[in-house]
Amino acid sequence: MTNIPPPAEELRLLDAELRQLDARRAVLLRRREWLVHVLRTASAQRSVPGAGQMPPVWPVAPGAAAPRTEATAPGVQNVLLLLGGILLTVAAIAFTLVGWGHLGITGRALVLAAVTLAALSAPVWLLRRGLGSTAEAVAALGMALTVLDAYALHEVAFDGSGGLGYAAAASAVLSAAWAAYGAAAGLLVPRSDAGSPARPDRARAGAGTAARPALRLPLPCAVVTAQVPLLLWALAVDAGPHTLTAVLLVTAAADTVVALRPAHAPVRVVGLVGACGAGALGVLSAGWLCWSAAAPVAAARGAALLLLAAAIALAAARYAPKPEVALCASLAAGLCLVAGAGGVLRAWLPGEWTVPGCLALGIALLTAVRTPLPRPMRQGVVGASLVVQGLAVLWTLPLVAGTLLGPVALIERPWSGTPLDIRDAVFQDAAWPSYATAAPLVLAAVAGVLALAERRAVRRPASGVGALVLAWAAVVVTPVVLELPYGAGLVADGAVVVVALGVAERARRGTGGPSAPALTALVLALVTSVTLALVSLATEAGTIAVLLALAALFGVASTRPGLVAFTAPAALAHATALACAAGASAGLRPEHTALLVLVVPAVAALVAARAARAGRSAATVTVEAAGAGAALLALTLAVTDLPVLASVLALCGVVAAGTALRPERRRAGHAAAALFLLAAWVRLAAWEVTTPEAYTLPVSVAALAVGHLRRRRDPSVSSWTAHGAGLSVTLVPSLLAMWGDPHWLRPLLLGTAALAVTLVGARSRLQAPLVLGGGTLALVALHELAPYIAQVVGVLPRWAPPALAGLVLLALGATYEQRLRDARRLREALGRLH
C-alpha cells in the first residue's frame, strides 16, 4: 500500500488540525470560567435577604484586573472590636453614673463584680481559642470596668476621704493589678494559643529580647498608670516644690528601670517616654529651684536634686542597650552636674564669676576622657563640656559685638574730641553689658582648651581656627574691660593687627600655601584694622596717624607673596580713607578732595601691573577692584561740581587707558573711551552747551576712525558694524533737533553732510553710509518742503487729497507687479553693496 497523501502533506494536515483543537479548547475553557462565575454570583445574590434580580454577568476580558478591596479582614475586625469596646465602656459608665441609684448596695456590688470578673476572665478563654484581637478588646473593657469599680468603691465606702489621696492609692492599686493581670494571662495561656502561631525567626532571637505577652494592652496601661500615684500623693499632702521635683525624678528613675528591662517593645517605649517626660520636668524644676535660690542652703537643695537626676542619667547610660542612648544620657548627666554646681557657685560668688565658675566645671568634665568609662559615655560627657563652653562663649558675644560695632556711631560725629578712655570711645552710644569683667578670662580659657585639642590633633584644623578666633576676641575686649586710656587702647588694637599679620605669615610658611589658620588670621587683622580706624575718628590727629600707620603696615605686608591678595586692597582702602581725612583736615571741599583720592586708583594700576608681571592673578583682581572703588568714591565726591567732575572723569580715563596697555587688559580701553567721552560731555554741560552736535560729533569721529581701522585690518567686516553706529550717533540726534529748529542753518549743514555721506557710500559701494545718508537727505528735503506742502494742501479743496490718494492707489495697483520687480531689483542692488 502506498501513503496517500504523501507523509509531508499528511504531517501538515495533522498540525493544522491540532491547532484548531487547541483554539477550540481555549474557547471552551473561557466559557466554563464564565459559567462558574455566573453561578457563584447568583448563589451570593440569593443568600442576601431582599436582593433583587441578578444583573447579567459577562465574562471578564483576559488580563483585566480583579476588583481591589479597600479594607483588609484584620482591619475590619479591629475597627469592629474597637467600636464594640467603646460602646460597652460608655454603657458601663452610664450605668455607674446614672443608673447606680436604682439598685441597692448588694445589687450594685454583685452587678459590678460579675461584669468585671466576666470581662477579665473572658480574654483567657478567647486566647486559648486563637481569638487574640477579641481578647484584647474584652481585656480593655475589663480594665475600664476596674476604673469604674474604683470610682464606685469611693462613692460607697470612702466618700469621706480626700479625692487626691484616694486617686493616688487607686492608681497604684490599678497599676499593680493590671501588671499582675497581664503577667497572669501569659501564664494561663500557652504561647501557641495566644492568637498567633509561633515564628521560628522570633524563636531564634537574641536572649535579651523578651517574648510578646499573651495580652499586649495591660502592661503598657499599667506603666502609664504608674506615672501618677506619687505625684498625686505629693499634691494630696501639699508637698513643697522640692518634694514635687523629687517625686518627678523618682518616677523618672522607675520609668528608666522599665525602659531598660528586656520587656515587650510597647512597654519599653512607654517607659522611655515616661522617663524622658518626667525627667525633663524634674530637671527643669530642679534647675529653677537651684538658680533662683537666694541662700546657699536653698541652692544646695536644688543642686542635690540635679545630682539625683545626673545619677539617674548615668545609670541609664551605663545599662543602655544602644550607644546613641548612652551618649544622650551621659550628655544630660554632665549638664545636670554643671548646672547644680553652677547654681551653688552663683549663691556663693559674685555675679560676674558665675559663668567662669560654670566654665571651669565644664572644662573639668573633660577629665572623663581618661576614665575607664565606655566610649559612648565618655563622648557624652565630653559633649556636655562642649555645650557648657559654647554657652559661656555666647555669654561673651554682647561684649565682643559692642566692641566691634560700637565705634560705627563715630562716623556721624567725627573728631568730636578725645574720650575719657577707650571704653568711652567704644560704648559711647551702646549699653555696657553687665558682668562683662570676666569675659576675657572666659574667652581665653576656651581658646586654651581648643588649642590643646588642636595640639593633640583632635578635629584639626577646626580647633586651631576656633582657638585663634577666641584668643583674638579675648585680646580685643581686654582694653575695653580694663578701661585703658584712649591712646593706649589705639596702640593695643594696632598691636593686635601686627600680631595677626605675623600669625598669618607664619601659618602660610608652615603649610607652604594658603590655609585655614592663615586666612582666619588675615580676616581678623582686617576686622581689627577697620575697628581701629573707626575708633580713631574721635580725634583729628588720631585719625590721620592711625590711617597712615595702617596704610603703611598693610603696604609692607603686601611684599609677602602669600598675603598680597588681601593686604594690598586693605592698604589701598586705608590710603583712600587717609586721602579723605587729609582733605577734610586741610579744609578742602569734597570735590577737591576727590582729586586727592584719585592718587589711589593710579597707585592701584601700578601695583596691579606689577602683580600681573609676577604671575599673581588673584592679587591683580583684588587690587584693581580696590582701585575701582576708590575711583567711584572720587566721582561721588566730585558730582556736585561739573568742571571738577569732568577733570576727575578725564583722569580716571587716563588710568584706564594706562591699564589697557597691558595685553590681558585690552578691554579696559573701552572703559577709557567711555570715561573720556563722559568727561567731554560734562565739560560741555558745564559750559552750558545745548547743541546736540557738540556732544555727538566727537563720538562719531572716534567711532568712524575705529571702524575704518577695523575694516582695513579685516575687509570682511560689514559696513553696518564698522560705520553704522558712528553715523547714527550724529545723524539721528541732529534729525530730531532739526524738526524743532526754526532756523535754516542746521538743515543746510545736515543736508550737506548727508549728501557727502551718501556720495561716499555710493563711491565706496558701502550699504550703511548709502542708506543712512540717503535716508537723512530725504528727511531733510521733506522738512524743507513741509511748509509749501502744507500751504498747497490748505489751498486745495477738501475732496482733493482723498481723490489724489485714490489715484495713487489705482496707479500702484495697475503697476503692482512692476513695482515688485523694481523693489526686488533695489533690494538686490543694496545687497550687493558691502
Side-chain angles (χ1 to χ4, degrees):
M1 295 179 64
T2 57
N3 292 324
I4 299 175
E9 182 66 18
E10 185 177 2
L11 180 60
R12 187 184 64 79
L13 293 175
L14 290 176
D15 289 340
E17 189 70 21
L18 289 173
R19 284 194 297 271
Q20 293 179 0
L21 290 175
D22 290 339
R24 180 60 179 170
R25 185 175 184 274
V27 173
L28 294 176
L29 288 175
R30 194 177 301 111
R31 180 65 178 177
R32 181 182 182 278
E33 292 177 359
W34 178 74
L35 292 173
V36 170
H37 177 71
V38 169
L39 293 175
R40 289 178 178 175
T41 306
S43 177
Q45 292 286 343
R46 286 193 299 269
S47 63
V48 178
Q53 185 180 359
M54 179 188 66
V57 183
W58 302 98
V60 181
R68 182 177 62 88
T69 59
E70 297 183 356
T72 61
V76 174
Q77 179 188 12
N78 292 333
V79 170
L80 294 177
L81 292 174
L82 178 61
L83 291 176
I86 291 174
L87 292 177
L88 288 175
T89 305
V90 170
I93 294 174
F95 169 75
T96 305
L97 297 178
V98 179
W100 186 254
H102 300 289
L103 298 177
I105 184 65
T106 306
R108 302 171 190 171
L110 289 176
V111 170
L112 282 178
V115 174
T116 305
L117 182 60
L120 294 177
S121 302
V124 177
W125 181 80
L126 293 172
L127 287 174
R128 290 180 177 178
R129 282 152 182 78
L131 303 176
S133 299
T134 307
E136 294 287 350
V138 177
L141 175 61
M143 289 188 293
L145 289 175
T146 57
V147 178
L148 295 177
D149 289 338
Y151 169 74
L153 185 62
H154 175 268
E155 293 297 323
V156 173
F158 299 99
D159 191 15
S161 61
L164 289 176
Y166 181 80
S171 58
V173 172
L174 287 176
S175 176
W178 290 350
Y181 176 66
L187 295 176
L188 295 175
V189 180
R191 186 65 186 92
S192 59
D193 296 336
S196 61
R199 292 179 55 180
D201 55 346
R202 291 185 179 179
R204 290 192 298 267
T209 302
R212 190 178 67 181
L215 290 174
R216 290 173 291 180
L217 194 59
L219 292 179
C221 290
V223 176
V224 171
T225 309
Q227 307 297 314
V228 295
L230 287 179
L231 183 60
L232 292 176
W233 168 80
L235 294 175
V237 298
D238 294 331
H242 291 83
T243 305
L244 288 173
T245 304
V247 164
L248 289 173
L249 293 177
V250 171
T251 304
D255 289 331
T256 303
V257 174
V258 173
L260 295 177
R261 289 184 67 253
H264 186 41
V267 178
R268 293 199 306 272
V269 171
V270 172
L272 180 61
V273 172
C276 294
L281 291 176
V283 168
L284 292 177
S285 176
W288 180 79
L289 292 173
C290 183
W291 282 79
S292 63
V297 177
R301 293 176 62 189
L305 294 173
L306 288 172
L307 183 62
L308 174 60
I312 296 171
L314 286 176
R318 177 64 181 84
Y319 297 101
K322 294 183 179 181
E324 296 83 3
V325 178
L327 190 148
C328 294
S330 55
L331 173 65
L335 293 178
C336 289
L337 288 174
V338 174
V344 176
L345 289 177
R346 175 186 169 278
W348 281 94
L349 299 177
E352 63 267 18
W353 295 104
T354 301
V355 173
C358 294
L359 177 62
L361 295 172
I363 295 175
L365 291 178
L366 294 176
T367 57
V369 178
R370 300 291 185 180
T371 61
L373 294 174
R375 180 181 177 84
M377 294 184 65
R378 285 186 277 118
Q379 290 178 343
V381 176
V382 171
S385 175
L386 295 179
V387 170
V388 173
Q389 296 179 53
L391 293 175
V393 171
L394 289 177
W395 176 76
T396 64
L397 281 184
L399 177 62
V400 177
T403 303
L404 297 178
L405 302 178
V408 177
L410 292 174
I411 296 178
E412 299 180 354
R413 50 177 187 281
W415 302 346
S416 56
T418 304
L420 298 177
D421 50 46
I422 192 65
R423 181 188 294 183
D424 182 58
V426 172
F427 285 90
Q428 188 172 359
D429 292 337
W432 175 252
S434 59
Y435 306 128
T437 307
L441 179 61
V442 170
L443 293 169
V446 180
V449 173
L450 293 178
L452 182 62
E454 193 273 339
R455 182 180 296 275
R456 297 188 178 184
V458 178
R459 296 184 180 180
R460 183 186 293 178
S463 300
V465 171
L468 182 60
V469 172
L470 293 178
W472 165 80
V475 175
V476 166
V477 301
T478 298
V480 181
V481 172
L482 297 179
E483 298 184 79
L484 294 180
Y486 177 69
L490 295 179
V491 173
D493 288 343
V496 172
V497 178
V498 175
V499 173
L501 290 175
V503 171
E505 175 62 17
R506 181 179 179 182
R508 186 193 65 83
R509 288 181 179 180
T511 57
S515 59
L519 295 177
T520 304
L522 273 174
V523 171
L524 296 179
L526 295 175
V527 172
T528 310
S529 66
V530 173
T531 303
L532 176 58
L534 292 174
V535 175
S536 67
L537 289 175
T539 60
E540 179 179 351
T543 302
I544 295 177
V546 167
L547 291 177
L548 180 61
L550 289 175
L553 176 62
F554 282 100
V556 173
S558 300
T559 59
R560 313 308 303 171
L563 307 180
V564 63
F566 297 91
T567 54
L572 293 173
H574 290 301
T576 303
L578 177 62
C580 295
S585 178
L588 299 179
R589 298 175 59 183
E591 56 269 21
H592 297 152
T593 304
L595 299 175
L596 291 178
V597 176
L598 283 180
V599 177
V600 177
V603 175
L606 297 177
V607 175
R610 180 180 178 182
R613 288 194 299 269
R616 295 190 290 268
S617 59
T620 303
V621 173
T622 57
V623 169
E624 289 175 346
L632 184 61
L633 176 62
L635 292 174
T636 304
L637 293 174
V639 74
T640 57
D641 193 326
L642 292 183
V644 178
L645 179 60
S647 301
V648 172
L649 286 170
L651 293 175
C652 291
V654 172
V655 175
T659 303
L661 296 177
R662 291 158 44 197
E664 72 279 5
R665 289 292 185 267
R666 296 299 186 194
R667 294 182 179 272
H670 302 293
L675 290 171
F676 286 134
L677 177 62
L678 289 174
W681 285 357
V682 171
R683 176 59 65 180
L684 291 174
W687 289 337
E688 299 182 355
V689 176
T690 59
T691 304
E693 288 79 8
Y695 294 89
T696 58
L697 278 177
V699 182
S700 295
V701 172
L704 291 174
V706 173
H708 178 68
L709 293 176
R710 184 174 181 184
R711 277 188 54 80
R712 289 186 60 183
R713 290 196 303 266
D714 186 7
S716 63
V717 175
S718 171
S719 63
W720 289 101
T721 304
H723 307 299
L727 293 174
S728 300
V729 167
T730 296
L731 293 178
V732 173
S734 297
L735 278 173
L736 297 176
M738 179 192 66
W739 287 102
D741 191 353
H743 301 287
W744 57 270
L745 181 59
R746 176 177 277 113
L748 177 62
L749 295 177
L750 181 59
T752 304
L755 178 61
V757 171
T758 304
L759 294 176
V760 171
R763 181 178 180 277
S764 304
R765 302 185 65 184
L766 297 177
Q767 188 179 108
L770 184 61
V771 173
L772 293 175
T776 303
L777 185 59
L779 291 175
V780 171
L782 180 63
H783 174 267
E784 294 302 313
L785 292 176
Y788 302 101
I789 295 174
Q791 184 178 0
V792 170
V793 171
V795 173
L796 292 176
R798 293 186 178 182
W799 54 264
L804 181 61
L807 291 175
V808 171
L809 291 177
L810 288 176
L812 289 176
T815 60
Y816 179 72
E817 295 183 357
Q818 182 63 33
R819 300 285 80 75
L820 287 179
R821 286 194 295 270
D822 294 342
R824 191 178 300 111
R825 284 196 295 269
L826 178 60
R827 186 183 63 183
E828 292 175 355
L830 287 175
R832 286 191 296 269
L833 299 178
H834 197 70

